[in-house]
Amino acid sequence: MSTPYILVLYYSRHGATAEMARQIARGVEQGGLEARVRTVPAVSTECEAVAPDIPAEGALYATLDDLKGCSGLVLGSPTRFGNMAAPLKYFLDGTSSLWLTGGLVGKPAAVFTSTASLHGGQETTQLSMMLPLLHHGMIITGIPYSEPALLETRGGGTPYGASHFATADGKRSLDEHEITLCRALGKRLAEVARKLES
């Protein structure tokens, strides 16, 4: 039997969502589970464009087995017009086999996002990522208001999940509250997964 892990699955274009994934993974480990960080390849309008099997840098590409074997899932994407980015949606659209077998039913899940503007669709993007997870029968967890940083943040952070305000140039680093909320989300998901497995 393999070691239980939380899959931290994301797409990142400019690095902010990837940094959030790293902070969430730290929270998962604080919650007592292993974090398996994975990404998805970009999609292209060019039909002949093919991504290499292993990315040049960063996390490995996710497989359906990563998803099938996880004890819980944290899903992250930058905002694209209030929706998840196409590469993540493309990956999720390929999970029908897991849906048919109920491979994710009853597992906990959470979401996170990064936006260029403070009111750039963080919560709608988070909701868009929740929809396929609900169809898979997953149990959605967010961030409760008992987490003080949720009330103090001047950047990202919502009860729907962790978020980050990257600014228009994408160069604003995660602030103290955003980091705290990323870690809190990861820790909470790990704790919920451990309780569900026991």
Side-chain angles (χ1 to χ4, degrees):
M1 185 174 164
S2 65
T3 304
Y5 64 89
I6 298 294
L7 179 61
V8 182
L9 175 60
Y10 71 93
Y11 173 72
S12 187
R13 182 77 185 268
H14 300 292
T17 310
E19 179 57 26
M20 292 182 76
R22 286 187 284 274
Q23 295 298 333
I24 289 167
R26 289 185 68 178
V28 166
E29 289 164 358
Q30 289 169 353
L33 284 182
E34 176 187 325
R36 183 177 293 185
V37 181
R38 294 291 185 266
T39 189
V40 295
V43 293
S44 171
T45 56
E46 298 291 328
C47 293
E48 62 274 2
V50 177
D53 290 337
I54 299 174
E57 60 184 1
L60 295 174
Y61 292 135
T63 66
L64 287 182
D65 284 340
D66 289 323
L67 201 51
K68 181 180 177 182
C70 74
S71 296
L73 170 67
V74 191
L75 197 61
S77 171
T79 293
R80 295 291 182 265
F81 302 104
N83 207 328
M84 77 177 96
L88 193 61
K89 175 75 164 62
Y90 183 81
F91 178 82
L92 292 171
D93 283 349
T95 61
S96 296
S97 61
L98 287 174
W99 177 78
L100 287 167
T101 61
L104 298 176
V105 171
K107 294 182 181 185
V111 296
F112 63 102
T113 191
S114 179
T115 56
S117 61
L118 190 55
H119 303 288
Q122 290 184 355
E123 292 179 344
T124 57
T125 299
Q126 290 168 326
L127 289 169
S128 77
M129 289 187 284
M130 289 179 191
L131 296 175
L133 305 181
L134 289 166
H135 278 261
H136 273 291
M138 301 192 85
I139 301 166
I140 306 296
T141 62
I143 301 175
Y145 277 100
S146 56
E147 190 60 51
L150 198 56
L151 293 166
E152 298 165 2
T153 182
R154 296 289 179 260
T158 80
Y160 299 87
S163 61
H164 167 60
F165 168 44
T167 67
D169 64 7
K171 294 184 178 174
R172 179 180 174 273
S173 297
L174 272 70
D175 67 30
E176 174 190 355
H177 292 124
E178 291 169 335
I179 289 170
T180 297
L181 292 169
C182 283
R183 292 182 185 175
L185 183 65
K187 183 178 180 183
R188 183 163 194 247
L189 191 71
E191 289 170 346
V192 169
R194 288 173 61 202
K195 286 177 182 175
L196 287 171
E197 288 202 335
S198 65

